[in-house]
């Protein structure tokens, strides 16, 4: 009896621990609550017929079964197709006349090669597409409607992705460390591949397919040529085989010096015949193993990586050589524009533009240039990169950072959709008003035949994939925006919360408001008013605005804030570096006068006197104090909000987030105190009365060291 009780306790414990650990991400199916809704769903999903036998359609069937069994608590009704009463049909349009009767040719045209159509009337539902993968995406959409408790009786959905390449970039090394990773090790267990296929690979593909991600760059842009050797290509093939049914192609980073490192050549000069032959052969070898290989991603001549400039060739020469090798197989080259060089004394903000803008028109048609959202480096807030709009003849891909290198790392609740949206909605004015960054990257502004977006992955081996439970929302939001960049941050947060935590309205409204505010809060306590890159050297953890001893000027935070007795900020107007001139005139006008410049970007573009009167009426110094204190206070408010939601969240998730919020609060106070004490040595002005005085001295904050901070 005692034994049986102990066993029961053990089972209960392990079952609940499993249910609460976050592994299921937003695909956390749970029984639909509310009798009316359940009745509606059950009446709608009768005798489902899923047509087709391809591996992708098998996944459609598996997912449907898995979801419906739980959502509708379907233990009795058969989910087997009935030939007599078909009212719920899923499959490619060509599979049955029912589909072509239900949808129009124009709708199928809109759906294209990856989109889908969902139509329902009472007692009738069709999920269809031109392709198997479209059907899978359609199924995930349908299940999302059930998960988020939507009415499904009158659906009329026709949708297609706005971007073609919807990629994750893993900065994963072959030894399983992850550059800027805060969620454990790399999920790729290279040593055991190709023999051992971890269930995680399948669940990874499934999660990505559910949000429409269709490609993954498996390895770090700081690349290792070993990935391109025969044994490693076998491992890559094993992953590609797992991902294929989910519509996900693999891509690899190509180290530019590979011909030397693994090809036995003396040079990697892109104009050298033997080097070209090396890459042609390599492409052939890859495509023999992986016929749908996506292509190469390259970081060249940046931060010490080799590249064509080592041979006095241009980025276009390098990219085109690889593009030629991939062309016969329809592969693409994604060439990163994140370049800056130690030898170059020019403002780092300007260097990528200087290198790339003159190369517009020089790239082959299967090359995309991948540009970070801003010109410096994934800061908490950054004006859009001036290359957007400056290369009309080249398809530009957006690069966002999902992993939170500069946005609170593994400890902070920061919902990044508002950051992504801010960049996408920025107006470049390159072809007059309305020339948004979104229209440039989706190809509609210039009519490009190819388009894409890349997100630096925040995925690791942690049980819940992303470390912070709320970091999953950033992976989710990124994928949803790749599909449709017009979705609002609000809509995406709400979907994610409902799918992940449940549908209680009180919970949703409160948690959503907290998420939507979280990025602005982080900006306020880290980098308010356009301050940037004042994080700890190397690990980028915590504040270190005082660092000035690094050998390259742009590695020092003092380079970016330029605080002195006169004021603070980087003059990027004509009196300074003139980086502002890289933007189109209407944009320059928005930012070139410190009196009218949006204060979000004030210190990004101007060196501003401490006594300058800001829009609030406060002096610049007092305004900085206001933001730092306000930001930290807001984290305290987030803690209170989360505490009020305890009843709605399972205990493990609740406690996980609660503990991390406590760390985040400490970190916010640390940022605030360290920055203000340091900047005060220049402003010589007091922290305004009423604000709690910093508990520690500047010397204390300067003494802090984090030699083993993750991700470095
Ligand atoms: O943000 C910086 C990071 C580097 C990274 C680099 C890049 C992969 O600190 O870790 O290297 O950008 O984007 O290439």
């Amino acid at each position: 009896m005692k034994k049986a009780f102990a066993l029961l306790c053990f089972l209960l414990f392990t079952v609940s621990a499993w249910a609460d650990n976050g592994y299921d991400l937003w695909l956390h199916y749970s029984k639909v609550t509310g009798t009316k809704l359940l009745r509606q769903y059950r009446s709608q999903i009768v005798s489902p017929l899923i047509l087709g036998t391809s591996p992708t359609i098998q996944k459609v069937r598996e997912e449907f079964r898995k979801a419906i069994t739980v959502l509708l608590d379907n233990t009795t009704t058969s989910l087997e197709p009935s030939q007599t009463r078909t009212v719920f049909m899923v499959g490619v349009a060509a599979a049955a006349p029912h589909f072509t009767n239900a949808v129009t040719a124009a709708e199928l045209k809109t759906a294209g090669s990856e989109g889908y159509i969902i139509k329902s009337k009472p007692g009738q539902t069709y999920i269809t597409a031109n392709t198997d993968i479209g059907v899978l995406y359609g199924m995930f959409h349908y299940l999302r409607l059930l998960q988020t408790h939507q009415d499904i009786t009158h659906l009329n959905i026709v949708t297609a992705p706005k971007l073609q390449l919807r990629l994750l970039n893993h900065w994963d090394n072959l030894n399983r460390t992850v550059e800027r990773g805060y969620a454990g090790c790399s999920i790729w267990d290279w040593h055991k591949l190709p023999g051992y296929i971890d269930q995680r690979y399948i669940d990874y593909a499934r999660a990505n397919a559910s949000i429409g991600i269709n490609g993954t760059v498996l390895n770090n842009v700081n690349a290792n040529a070993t990935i391109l050797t025969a044994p490693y290509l076998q491992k890559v093939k094993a992953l590609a085989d797992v991902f294929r049914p989910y519509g996900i192609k693999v891509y690899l980073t190509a180290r530019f010096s590979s011909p030397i490192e693994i090809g036995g050549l003396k040079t990697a000069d892109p104009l050298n015949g033997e080097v070209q032959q090396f890459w042609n052969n390599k492409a052939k070898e890859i495509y023999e193993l992986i016929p749908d290989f996506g292509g190469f991603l390259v970081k060249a001549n940046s931060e010490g990586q080799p590249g064509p400039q080592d041979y006095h060739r241009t980025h276009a020469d390098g990219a085109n050589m690889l593009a030629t090798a991939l062309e016969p197989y329809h592969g693409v080259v994604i060439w990163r524009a994140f370049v800056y060089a130690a030898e170059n004394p020019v403002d780092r903000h300007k260097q990528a533009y200087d290198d790339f803008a003159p190369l517009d028109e020089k790239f082959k048609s299967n090359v995309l240039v991948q540009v970070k959202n801003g010109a410096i480096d994934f800061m908490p807030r950054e004006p859009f990169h001036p290359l957007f709009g400056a290369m009309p003849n080249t398809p530009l891909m957006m690069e966002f950072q999902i992993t939170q290198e500069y946005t609170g790392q593994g400890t902070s609740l920061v919902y990044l959709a508002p950051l992504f949206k801010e960049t996408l909605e920025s107006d470049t004015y390159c072809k007059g008003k309305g020339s948004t960054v979104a229209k440039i990257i989706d190809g509609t502004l210039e009519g490009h035949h190819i388009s894409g977006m890349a997100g630096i992955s925040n995925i690791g081996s942690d049980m819940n994939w992303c470390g912070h439970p709320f970091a999953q929302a950033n992976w989710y939001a990124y994928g949803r925006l790749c599909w449709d960049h017009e979705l609002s941050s609000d809509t995406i947060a709400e979907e994610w919360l409902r799918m992940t935590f449940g549908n209680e309205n009180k919970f949703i409204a409160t948690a959503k408001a907290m998420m939507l505010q979280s990025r602005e809060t982080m900006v306020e306590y880290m980098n308010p008013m356009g301050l940037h890159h004042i994080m700890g050297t190397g690990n980028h953890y915590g504040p270190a605005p005082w660092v000035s001893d690094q050998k390259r000027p742009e590695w020092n935070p003092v380079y970016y804030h330029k605080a002195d007795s006169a004021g603070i900020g980087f003059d990027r107007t004509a009196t300074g570096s003139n980086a502002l001139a890289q933007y189109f005139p209407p944009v320059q006008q928005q930012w070139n006068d410190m009196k009218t410049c949006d204060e979000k970007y004030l210190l990004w573009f101007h060196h501003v006197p401490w006594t300058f009167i800001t829009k609030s009426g406060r002096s610049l110094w007092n305004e900085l104090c206001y933001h730092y204190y306000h930001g930290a206070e807001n984290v305290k408010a987030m803690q209170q909000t989360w505490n009020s939601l305890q009843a709605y969240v399972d205990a493990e998730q609740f406690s996980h987030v609660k503990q991390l919020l406590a760390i985040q609060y400490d970190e916010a106070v640390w940022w605030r105190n360290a920055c203000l004490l340091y900047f005060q040595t220049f402003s010589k002005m007091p922290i305004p009365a009423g604000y709690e005085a910093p508990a520690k001295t500047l010397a204390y904050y300067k003494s802090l060291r984090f030699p083993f901070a993750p991700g470095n």
Side-chain angles (χ1 to χ4, degrees):
M1 189 62 190
K2 246 186 177 171
K3 259 193 183 162
F5 181 69
L7 182 70
L8 184 68
C9 289
F10 172 74
L11 281 176
L12 281 175
F13 175 75
T14 44
V15 166
S16 75
W18 181 251
D20 298 346
N21 63 18
Y23 184 85
D24 289 341
L25 298 157
W26 49 87
L27 299 175
H28 183 74
Y29 300 126
S30 53
K31 187 184 164 184
V32 171
T33 47
T35 352
K36 225 174 121 201
L37 206 56
L38 200 55
R39 202 176 308 130
Q40 180 196 109
Y41 290 179
R42 282 181 176 154
S43 71
Q44 202 68 11
I45 304 169
V46 181
S47 317
L49 181 59
I50 299 178
L51 293 166
T53 54
S54 73
T56 298
I57 295 293
Q58 293 299 355
K59 299 298 179 192
V60 175
R61 213 169 261 127
E62 268 171 37
E63 197 65 36
F64 180 69
R65 255 176 230 199
K66 188 181 168 89
I68 293 301
T69 313
V70 185
L71 288 164
L72 305 195
D73 194 15
N74 197 329
T75 44
T76 48
T77 330
S78 161
L79 287 178
E80 292 311 312
S82 132
Q83 299 302 331
T84 49
R85 192 171 160 245
T86 299
V87 291
F88 188 97
M89 276 186 75
V90 180
V92 291
H98 301 73
F99 293 122
T100 33
N101 292 339
V103 303
T104 67
E107 288 170 332
L108 284 169
K109 191 159 177 251
T110 305
S113 60
E114 291 183 294
Y116 51 85
I117 301 162
I118 304 176
K119 292 224 170 174
S120 70
K121 302 189 250 212
Q124 245 187 352
T125 299
Y126 297 95
I127 303 176
T128 190
N130 293 302
T131 57
D132 291 345
I133 190 64
V135 176
L136 181 62
Y137 291 150
M139 177 55 81
F140 274 118
H141 187 142
Y142 189 79
L143 295 175
R144 181 165 72 234
L145 297 175
L146 305 187
Q147 275 182 282
T148 56
H149 293 192
Q150 308 298 307
D151 187 327
I152 54 163
T153 47
H154 292 93
L155 300 174
N156 188 7
I157 297 164
V158 184
T159 173
K162 289 199 165 64
L163 295 160
Q164 288 168 32
L165 308 185
R166 304 180 296 279
L167 310 189
L168 284 180
N169 287 186
H170 288 264
W171 285 356
D172 293 20
N173 299 311
L174 299 182
N175 64 4
R176 297 195 75 176
T177 56
V178 180
E179 184 156 347
R180 312 309 175 183
Y182 309 99
C185 304
S186 168
I187 55 171
W188 317 130
D189 191 349
W190 293 110
H191 187 67
K192 298 200 200 97
L193 279 163
Y196 174 62
I197 300 298
D198 191 329
Q199 176 63 32
R200 277 215 178 220
Y201 306 152
I202 301 162
D203 293 332
Y204 165 88
R206 201 180 134 235
N208 278 321
S210 77
I211 48 176
I213 286 175
N214 68 356
T216 177
V217 184
L218 299 174
N219 59 327
N220 193 350
V221 287
N222 289 329
N224 187 323
T226 307
I227 194 83
L228 298 177
T229 60
Y232 273 81
L233 290 177
Q234 289 295 340
K235 299 168 193 276
V236 174
K237 171 191 161 34
L239 290 175
D241 290 343
V242 172
F243 300 161
R244 190 166 296 112
Y246 290 100
I248 295 166
K249 288 184 181 181
V250 300
Y251 297 69
L252 294 174
T253 59
R255 185 162 162 87
F256 202 77
S257 50
S258 299
I260 303 171
E261 285 152 10
I262 59 169
L265 300 182
K266 293 239 153 20
T267 176
D269 181 348
L271 300 193
N272 175 293
E274 283 182 317
V275 171
Q276 293 168 351
Q277 198 52 47
F278 167 88
W279 287 111
N280 294 345
N281 292 345
K282 196 43 84 183
K284 183 159 180 282
E285 183 186 350
I286 295 174
Y287 280 93
E288 271 164 16
L289 293 170
I290 309 165
D292 56 352
F293 178 69
F296 291 135
L297 168 67
V298 186
K299 171 176 179 177
N301 293 119
S302 175
E303 300 187 327
Q305 292 298 303
Q309 292 177 339
D310 303 348
Y311 307 94
H312 308 289
R313 313 294 185 200
T314 68
H315 284 286
D317 294 330
N320 291 342
M321 169 193 60
L322 294 174
T324 305
L326 297 175
E327 202 168 30
Y329 317 97
H330 310 292
V332 298
V333 172
I334 302 168
W335 196 269
R336 293 178 87 224
F338 178 70
V339 299
Y340 66 95
E343 314 75 52
N344 191 345
V346 168
D347 177 4
R348 174 170 161 186
H349 193 295
K350 295 172 71 176
Q351 295 188 27
Y353 181 103
D354 289 349
D355 264 8
F356 278 84
L359 296 177
D360 192 28
E361 274 185 290
K362 295 266 167 24
F363 292 97
K364 288 187 66 115
S365 62
N366 58 335
V367 177
L368 298 108
V369 171
Q370 182 166 303
V371 183
K372 287 190 183 183
N373 55 287
I376 296 294
D377 199 359
F378 300 136
M379 292 294 108
R381 167 164 282 131
E382 217 169 322
F384 71 87
H385 202 302
L387 272 176
F388 293 114
M391 297 182 72
N393 299 295
T394 313
L396 298 185
M397 248 171 104
M398 171 62 74
E399 181 174 314
F400 282 130
Q401 193 175 46
I402 311 171
T403 190
Q404 293 171 248
E405 173 180 4
Y406 297 105
T407 53
Q409 304 200 346
T411 47
S412 301
L413 192 165
V414 179
Y415 173 53
L416 293 174
L419 185 162
F420 301 157
K421 292 283 293 181
E422 190 170 281
T423 306
L424 291 166
E425 286 169 357
S426 295
D427 199 340
T428 69
Y429 286 89
C430 66
K431 283 182 132 184
K433 196 170 164 47
S435 309
T436 60
V437 172
K439 286 189 195 161
I440 290 167
I441 63 152
D442 73 12
T444 53
L445 198 70
E446 307 293 350
H448 289 305
H449 67 286
I450 187 164
S451 62
M453 192 140 99
I456 311 307
S457 151
N458 63 350
I459 298 162
S461 61
D462 276 10
M463 183 59 91
N464 72 0
W465 301 87
C466 301
H468 199 303
F470 275 76
Q472 295 179 355
N474 294 331
W475 176 8
Y476 181 83
Y478 167 74
R480 296 288 288 128
L481 287 172
C482 283
W483 188 277
D484 182 1
H485 53 65
E486 282 174 20
L487 289 171
S488 70
S489 301
D490 184 299
T491 302
I492 298 171
E494 174 147 353
E495 282 179 8
W496 178 78
L497 283 165
R498 287 182 184 275
M499 294 167 84
T500 307
F501 290 107
N503 285 280
E504 290 290 343
N505 286 330
K506 158 98 177 25
F507 171 78
I508 299 299
T510 313
K512 186 170 73 175
M514 175 177 77
M515 284 172 77
L516 290 172
Q517 188 55 40
S518 61
R519 183 269 183 143
E520 200 59 46
T521 292
M522 178 266 305
V523 170
E524 283 200 278
Y525 68 73
M526 273 191 199
N527 284 197
M529 306 191 80
L531 285 173
H532 52 287
H533 225 313
I534 54 175
M535 294 78 187
T537 299
N539 56 35
H540 297 155
Y541 175 61
W546 45 80
V547 171
S548 63
D549 60 355
Q550 300 295 299
K551 73 173 187 293
R552 290 167 58 153
E554 75 288 343
W555 282 355
N556 292 291
V558 295
Y559 172 91
Y560 298 96
H561 64 70
K562 301 207 183 312
D564 56 20
S565 59
I568 181 171
F570 199 132
D571 182 3
R572 293 194 164 104
T573 67
T575 54
S577 79
N578 209 15
L580 200 48
Q582 294 179 334
Y583 292 94
F584 284 83
V587 180
Q588 293 179 29
Q589 275 156 31
Q590 283 168 21
W591 296 333
N592 70 4
D593 180 349
M594 75 170 82
K595 291 198 201 67
T596 50
C597 178
D598 188 335
E599 286 180 0
K600 293 202 296 263
Y601 302 128
L602 186 61
L603 306 181
W604 191 283
F605 289 112
H606 299 276
H607 192 72
V608 183
W610 295 110
T611 51
F612 174 84
I613 298 302
T614 64
K615 299 199 170 90
S616 67
R618 289 184 276 262
S619 68
L620 174 68
W621 167 252
N622 282 359
E623 185 71 4
L624 272 179
C625 292
Y626 168 79
H627 283 297
Y628 273 111
Y629 276 88
H630 188 247
E633 275 312 294
N634 274 349
V635 180
K636 196 183 273 174
M638 285 164 78
Q639 290 182 282
Q640 284 154 4
T641 303
W642 186 248
N643 288 343
S644 77
L645 297 176
Q646 180 161 14
Y648 302 98
V649 189
D650 22 66
E652 191 178 331
Q653 296 269 43
F654 176 78
S655 154
H656 193 165
V657 174
K658 184 181 162 91
Q659 292 180 64
L660 292 177
L661 279 171
I663 300 177
Q664 186 175 353
Y665 179 66
D666 289 346
E667 289 175 346
V669 170
W670 168 33
W671 265 99
R672 177 193 81 193
N673 292 351
C675 290
L676 289 179
L677 287 173
Y678 169 70
F679 293 137
Q680 193 176 38
T681 64
F682 301 99
S683 79
K684 311 270 189 236
M685 293 160 87
I687 291 176
Y691 290 135
E692 162 198 352
K696 301 269 179 15
T697 62
L698 178 58
Y700 165 80
Y701 292 116
K702 282 183 165 183
S703 75
L704 298 175
R705 294 289 178 276
F706 306 92
F708 304 112
N712 191 15

